Amino acid sequence: MEYITVNTGTKIVYIEKKMTEAIVRAPEILTVPEGDDNLLGLSIYQGRLVIYYQMGDKKSYSCGIIIKAGGEAMRGIPAVTVGEEEADPSSLTMLMQGVWGKKSD
């Protein structure tokens, strides 16, 4: 399966290409006071709310990957760098719908 690879500053995550809505350069992400630890913040993309999830330890990112969703809000993953890769799905574990991480043994 083909994935977009995302370096979050701490780890590499794999996003299914078919689940990718857009890659946005330098998204404006607004923090949420007293939000959950895994919540980086909120942004707007084409008039829709994007909830960005913190998957690394960096506070600034060069881009954001927006993941297709069925509801009003979309999900986003902030990225330091982005690439492409094919990976064996059996070597990955689901982090959220359409987003995967390498299994640790």
Side-chain angles (χ1 to χ4, degrees):
M1 183 176 283
E2 291 186 349
Y3 298 92
I4 292 176
T5 55
V6 176
N7 180 339
T8 66
T10 303
K11 62 183 172 182
I12 304 293
V13 296
Y14 298 79
I15 301 173
E16 297 173 25
K17 275 190 167 184
K18 66 182 180 186
M19 293 293 292
T20 303
E21 178 76 25
I23 299 175
V24 179
R25 184 182 306 232
E28 183 178 344
I29 302 172
L30 305 173
T31 59
V32 177
E34 299 183 32
D36 290 343
D37 289 341
N38 67 339
L39 176 66
L40 179 62
L42 305 173
S43 187
I44 301 293
Y45 176 74
Q46 295 185 344
R48 292 182 63 195
L49 180 67
V50 180
I51 302 168
Y52 276 92
Y53 293 92
Q54 182 72 34
M55 297 235 168
D57 61 357
K58 302 275 267 176
K59 295 299 177 195
S60 64
Y61 298 91
S62 60
C63 63
I65 291 61
I66 299 174
I67 301 162
K68 292 178 182 174
E72 289 293 316
M74 295 186 284
R75 295 172 290 140
I77 306 293
V80 175
T81 60
V82 177
E84 289 183 66
E85 187 175 316
E86 283 197 33
D88 178 6
S90 67
S91 69
L92 303 175
T93 185
M94 185 186 296
L95 302 175
M96 66 176 66
Q97 185 178 1
V99 180
W100 303 82
K102 287 275 187 186
K103 287 182 181 175
S104 58
D105 294 326

